[in-house]
Amino acid sequence: MLGWSDDRPLAEVLPKKEATALQKAFGYTTCMELLQHTPRAWSRHGSDVLADDAAEGDIITCVGSVLDVSVLQRDRTHITRVTISDGHNRFTASFFNSRWIPRVLTPGMRAMFSGKLNFYRGTPQLQHPDFLVLPGPGEKMAGSGSMKTIALYGDPDELFDDLDHIPIYPARAAMASWRIMAAVRHILATLDPVPEPLGEVPEGLVSLDEAIRGVHFPGPEGPGPHLERLKYNEALTLGLVMALRRLDTLRRDAPPMPPRDDAHRAGLLGALPYELTAGQRDVIDEITRDLEAGEPMSRLLQGEVGSGKTVVSLIAMLQAVDAGHQCALLAPTEVLVAQHARTLTTLLADAGLPVSVVPLTGSMSVPVKRQALLDIVSGQADIVVGTHAIIQDTVEFFDLGLVVVDEQHRFGVEQRARLRSKGRDGMTPHLLVMTATPIPRTIAMTVFGDLAVSTLRELPGGRQPIETFVVPEHRSSWVRRAILRIGEEVVAGRQAYVVCPRIEGPGGVLDVFDILGRGPFRDFHVGYLHGRMPAEEKDLMMRRFASGEVQILVATTVIEVGVDVPNATVMLIRESEMFGVSQLHQLRGRVGRGGHGSLCILHTLAAPDSEAYQRIHAVAETTDGFALAELDLIHRQEGDVLGTSQSGSARTVRLLNLLEDYAIIDRATGDAAALVERHPLLAQRLVLEIDRVDREFLEKS
């Protein structure tokens, strides 16, 4: 937790049995870890709380009023069934061979129940749950299971004394919510006042000490103010890391690259066969000013699929080449490397510019790779296009001045930094990162806060709209019509993609290629492409498709980004529910790149009433990538968006909601920038105190 930590071992503060049980249930060994296990809900004065979003099989804790207690005898099994209401819904708790239950649980009582959730005819059920009767004034506490463990902390009847809200914790089968509550209350009772890490309490917020205590046991004000402060701390953590990165970048030197009117950059601008959009011109001006300065450029260029990012990046690279420097273009796949190398070479050749473009990938043959490395280290290569292979220590540049990273979300900060360290004479190369996945404002601030942001919203002239349709598998006539529609486009001289979610098995690339090639498309030239093919085979297939020799390409998402075949006008995405919102939008952007109207067909196996089906329909209804980015954030876990699934920890962001907490993030981002400017040493100290795993997450996001 930013600026403070409680590193006391649980075994030194709690009864040994409870410390061992908490470690077994959650892996916790310190008081800080348990204090960060925040409640999922709070029961006001024993009011009812049911886990509405719980799934079958989850261990849940809920609060309700006992409506009815019935006893059944089946053979030798004595069953007690308790009907409970949370004020809105009803659920049942069943107990087996526990004849004492009716004496303890009686109609009108309120109690907490903890157990595994099942459903019977739509009614939630708990089988043989632990329970704890919530005592009224002057009443004794009663319960089952882990009731005995509460007594380890003292008088169980005092557990609920003076509580305005009862915390309901995420629990485990062997660790009920009230057992966690007893442990947390004991830790807080032994905790010294928490010092304010920022020196003074931020205006309008509670102190950190109040927040840590109040998020577990709030007073009449409820948990809101305490959650807000803890969320602010999380956002401030991210903001400080980004602000310190910006400061570190500004302190470095970069090679100045003033534009020239008599060199390659001007030559390309004068030879383009189309007019740049106003957005492209604005972004080029921003990049030009950055490259002229003696400080390293750190800029993110986001733009819709097909908005013209590649030509903007080439103009920037030529400004670097004109100043006598090399450029590196980092792409996530070998297919995209080959595509970029061809596109850049064609643009330069058409403009009559003698600029050398050298591809470099890990699967190149030894002689070809050796020659590429020689061209790079000698300075013969002006622009190097490669996968992460160009990050390796064996790759040495003669004078690297600009790094361009395509599809930023495929690479981490660590990879960018390694490539950026290859500058000459202590100079830091300029950095331009690009993404066709528009970034919601909160993500831009928290993950890309060290980068200036440029946005391309317009599409170049000549781009045609893409119609999108959803085709459910159970509508067999629609599926047949989709296949016929692809054939009509090919007969008309166009080309098509068929995208599959896997390589092998039913519905995979090889299976679909075989079925289509022998069946409805037997009179067409059908090819296939997937990531396990050798690099030379992938490159050959893309060249055959780009030339029109292959009319229908069955592929995995290896064609998701960067592939540019203007004659492709139709795409069928099989089992589209297997892909994310942004991924579907990226795939769809592979068609509609020429002067012809285009079509995207989203095939799905999802049930019409499912969330996945609704998500697919939302993609079909709009081609606005920025709107879809917000939708993607709704449907994805925030940890995935932030990159925590790669680093294995989501511990830096536990409470912050990237959809709902924009105001908190916005404030914390500004406060972090001001703190770094006023007190950089304090900011560095606060960041250094972040947990080691959290630091790794922040460095790799």
Side-chain angles (χ1 to χ4, degrees):
M1 191 173 294
L2 182 67
W4 176 81
S5 181
D6 185 354
D7 296 323
R8 293 177 296 166
L10 287 175
E12 293 182 7
V13 181
L14 303 180
K16 183 177 179 181
K17 175 184 176 182
E18 292 302 277
T20 301
L22 285 164
Q23 181 175 7
K24 185 175 181 180
F26 300 107
Y28 300 157
T29 58
T30 69
C31 291
M32 184 61 146
E33 290 171 322
L34 185 57
L35 290 177
Q36 289 183 319
H37 188 89
T38 52
R40 66 165 181 82
W42 294 261
S43 176
R44 170 82 167 163
H45 294 304
S47 63
D48 306 316
V49 177
L50 180 63
D52 291 325
D53 58 347
E56 185 155 6
D58 288 352
I59 301 298
I60 68 164
T61 298
C62 45
V63 178
S65 302
V66 176
L67 298 181
D68 180 66
V69 180
S70 60
V71 177
L72 302 174
Q73 187 74 37
R74 290 183 179 171
D75 298 328
R76 297 182 179 180
T77 303
H78 183 277
I79 303 172
T80 304
R81 182 164 296 157
V82 181
T83 304
I84 304 138
S85 170
D86 74 332
H88 303 286
N89 305 301
R90 292 188 178 193
F91 63 101
T92 61
S94 298
F95 300 87
F96 302 94
N97 295 325
S98 299
R99 298 176 185 271
W100 56 276
I101 293 291
R103 296 195 301 271
V104 180
L105 286 176
T106 59
M109 281 187 169
R110 292 189 186 278
M112 299 174 70
F113 298 84
S114 182
K116 182 179 289 188
L117 179 65
N118 294 298
F119 288 90
Y120 177 70
R121 294 181 179 177
T123 300
Q125 296 188 61
L126 299 176
Q127 288 195 358
H128 215 87
D130 279 356
F131 69 90
L132 191 69
V133 174
L134 300 178
E139 295 178 351
K140 285 286 185 181
M141 184 178 291
S144 66
S146 53
M147 253 292 294
K148 297 176 183 178
T149 64
I150 298 176
L152 295 171
Y153 299 100
D155 187 349
D157 293 323
E158 296 179 0
L159 183 61
F160 293 94
D161 280 357
D162 303 320
L163 289 187
D164 286 279
H165 295 76
I166 298 171
I168 311 296
Y169 290 92
R172 296 283 190 272
M175 182 58 62
S177 175
W178 53 84
R179 196 171 171 186
I180 300 169
M181 180 176 69
V184 170
R185 195 161 195 194
H186 185 76
I187 287 172
L188 290 175
T190 61
L191 178 66
D192 292 332
V194 176
E196 184 57 50
L198 302 177
E200 59 183 27
V201 178
E203 184 179 354
L205 299 177
V206 301
S207 70
L208 184 59
D209 182 76
E210 291 175 281
I212 289 170
R213 299 175 192 275
V215 77
H216 293 282
F217 302 105
E221 76 284 354
H226 312 291
L227 283 169
E228 184 180 10
R229 175 59 201 273
L230 296 179
K231 288 180 177 183
Y232 173 84
N233 271 33
E234 290 183 352
L236 190 67
T237 298
L238 294 166
L240 286 173
V241 171
M242 298 303 159
L244 287 168
R245 280 194 197 148
R246 287 195 301 271
L247 181 64
D248 178 63
T249 299
L250 291 174
R251 287 174 173 172
R252 301 178 182 224
D253 294 323
M257 302 173 180
R260 291 170 48 190
D261 296 331
D262 59 345
H264 300 106
R265 178 182 180 276
L268 179 66
L269 286 170
L272 288 174
Y274 49 81
E275 185 176 347
L276 295 172
T277 66
Q280 285 175 311
R281 292 194 296 270
D282 290 342
V283 170
I284 289 168
D285 288 343
E286 292 172 347
I287 294 172
T288 298
R289 289 193 295 270
D290 286 350
L291 296 180
E292 285 183 283
E295 299 169 346
M297 174 177 73
S298 293
R299 185 168 291 278
L300 169 67
L301 173 56
Q302 62 174 348
E304 285 281 16
V305 175
S307 59
K309 296 183 296 296
T310 300
V311 71
V312 169
S313 69
L314 178 56
I315 290 167
M317 287 188 279
L318 291 181
Q319 186 170 337
V321 172
D322 289 345
H325 303 284
Q326 293 171 293
C327 304
L329 173 55
L330 182 63
T333 66
E334 294 191 350
V335 168
L336 190 50
V337 166
Q339 175 77 36
H340 274 315
R342 282 195 299 270
T343 299
L344 298 181
T345 300
T346 300
L347 284 169
L348 293 166
D350 291 347
L353 301 176
V355 177
S356 170
V357 178
V358 173
L360 180 67
T361 64
S363 63
M364 282 179 164
S365 65
V366 172
V368 174
K369 184 181 293 185
R370 186 183 296 120
Q371 183 60 52
L373 293 172
L374 183 61
D375 290 341
I376 295 168
V377 74
S378 66
Q380 295 299 309
D382 297 311
I383 298 173
V384 181
V385 185
T387 57
H388 61 276
I390 63 176
I391 301 174
Q392 305 306 313
D393 294 336
T394 54
V395 181
E396 295 184 24
F397 286 82
F398 177 72
D399 189 0
L400 181 61
L402 172 63
V403 174
V404 179
V405 180
D406 194 21
E407 290 311 313
Q408 156 61 32
H409 63 283
R410 304 291 188 91
F411 300 99
V413 171
E414 191 176 357
Q415 291 167 306
R416 291 194 331 229
R418 286 187 63 186
L419 185 52
R420 214 171 179 184
S421 68
K422 294 178 179 286
R424 181 176 178 178
D425 299 331
M427 289 286 186
T428 298
H430 298 280
L431 174 69
L432 176 66
V433 298
M434 304 190 297
T435 179
T437 304
I439 299 168
R441 292 178 300 172
T442 49
I443 300 294
M445 285 190 291
T446 52
V447 179
F448 301 105
D450 57 331
L451 304 174
V453 179
S454 295
T455 302
L456 290 174
R457 290 183 177 270
E458 303 170 73
L459 295 182
R463 289 298 301 266
Q464 296 297 311
I466 305 170
E467 291 187 281
T468 307
F469 298 95
V470 177
V471 176
E473 175 69 19
H474 68 270
R475 296 272 193 173
S476 55
S477 62
W478 293 16
V479 175
R480 289 194 297 272
R481 177 61 187 138
I483 298 297
L484 289 173
R485 190 71 184 82
I486 293 173
E488 290 169 2
E489 286 294 305
V490 175
V491 168
R494 312 293 170 229
Q495 291 166 271
Y497 296 99
V498 177
V499 180
C500 303
R502 64 192 71 87
I503 298 173
E504 298 175 331
V509 167
L510 301 180
D511 177 55
V512 172
F513 167 76
D514 184 55
I515 292 172
L516 296 180
R518 288 188 294 105
F521 298 151
R522 57 184 174 274
D523 296 329
F524 303 135
H525 294 289
V526 184
Y528 67 85
L529 183 69
H530 60 75
R532 292 212 299 259
M533 294 167 63
E536 58 271 16
E537 289 185 23
K538 287 188 285 189
D539 190 44
L540 175 61
M541 180 55 65
M542 278 310 306
R543 279 189 276 124
R544 291 178 63 200
F545 187 63
S547 69
E549 179 187 346
V550 170
Q551 297 166 294
I552 300 171
L553 183 63
V554 183
T556 59
T557 56
V558 72
I559 55 96
E560 176 185 347
V561 292
V563 175
D564 186 6
V565 180
N567 193 47
T569 57
V570 61
M571 172 178 286
L572 168 63
I573 304 177
R574 286 188 51 82
E575 299 178 43
S576 57
E577 72 278 3
M578 302 294 291
F579 305 98
V581 170
S582 292
Q583 196 171 32
L584 290 173
H585 183 56
Q586 285 269 18
L587 288 166
R588 176 170 56 186
R590 297 310 105 205
V591 296
R593 306 181 74 85
H596 310 285
S598 295
L599 177 68
C600 179
I601 302 165
L602 302 178
H603 165 268
T604 180
L605 303 177
D609 59 349
S610 67
E611 182 274 333
Y613 193 85
Q614 300 307 314
R615 184 180 75 244
I616 297 163
H617 261 284
V619 174
E621 289 169 359
T622 181
T623 57
D624 182 344
F626 292 88
L628 290 174
E630 297 287 345
L631 177 67
D632 199 26
L633 186 54
I634 294 172
H635 288 290
R636 292 171 64 188
Q637 291 184 349
E638 291 159 12
D640 293 336
V641 178
L642 288 171
T644 54
S645 59
Q646 281 74 34
S647 70
S649 170
R651 298 211 287 178
T652 298
V653 177
R654 296 171 179 269
L655 302 173
L656 207 59
N657 185 304
L658 296 178
L659 279 170
E660 300 172 358
D661 296 326
Y662 174 77
I664 295 175
I665 295 170
D666 189 36
R667 174 184 175 176
T669 300
D671 290 352
L675 181 60
V676 167
E677 186 175 346
R678 287 196 323 270
H679 303 298
L681 293 180
L682 173 60
Q684 289 172 352
R685 180 175 63 79
L686 289 172
V687 170
L688 285 174
E689 290 175 359
I690 298 173
D691 181 272
R692 177 185 60 80
V693 180
D694 289 339
R695 287 201 301 273
E696 292 174 357
F697 148 65
L698 289 166
E699 289 164 2
K700 294 177 182 178
S701 296

